[in-house]
Amino acid sequence: MAICEHLSKADDPAAKTPEGCEECLASGGRWVHLRRCLECGHIGCCDSSPSKHATGHFHETGHPVMQSFEPGESWRWCFVDSQMG
């Protein structure tokens, strides 16, 4: 299977809030795992977290690719094509 166009063109922006999920930090929420948007650097919480801010960020912005922001993990996910890279 070929890698999708979104994954092949993904950027590598600096994390906006490397200390945690941007929305959870602002609201006092909690997260399980973190994800970084590869278009703008937004840090959001994963779908196992109560607020699912990484997926919410995709729905609000249309930014297609996020990457795990967990130590030792480098996988990426394209929301548009439901493909891992």
Side-chain angles (χ1 to χ4, degrees), residues 36-55:
R36 176 176 56 117
C37 173
L38 293 186
E39 188 158 325
C40 71
H42 172 270
I43 300 296
C45 53
C46 70
D47 284 356
S48 295
S49 302
S51 297
K52 304 176 183 178
H53 287 123
T55 297

Side-chain angles (χ1 to χ4, degrees), residues 50-67:
S51 297
K52 304 176 183 178
H53 287 123
T55 297
H57 178 74
F58 163 68
H59 290 296
E60 290 172 17
T61 65
H63 295 168
V65 181
M66 60 105 186
Q67 182 175 35

Side-chain angles (χ1 to χ4, degrees), residues 2-81:
I3 192 167
C4 77
E5 181 180 355
H6 303 104
L7 287 166
S8 66
K9 292 183 176 183
D11 202 0
D12 189 22
K16 288 184 177 180
T17 55
E19 64 277 10
C21 173
E22 184 174 344
E23 291 86 354
C24 288
L25 288 168
S27 69
R30 64 179 185 85
W31 59 84
V32 178
H33 299 289
L34 299 173
R35 310 294 182 233
R36 176 176 56 117
C37 173
L38 293 186
E39 188 158 325
C40 71
H42 172 270
I43 300 296
C45 53
C46 70
D47 284 356
S48 295
S49 302
S51 297
K52 304 176 183 178
H53 287 123
T55 297
H57 178 74
F58 163 68
H59 290 296
E60 290 172 17
T61 65
H63 295 168
V65 181
M66 60 105 186
Q67 182 175 35
S68 175
F69 197 63
E70 294 297 313
E73 294 183 359
S74 60
W75 59 265
R76 301 174 301 152
W77 175 256
C78 175
F79 284 103
V80 174
D81 296 312

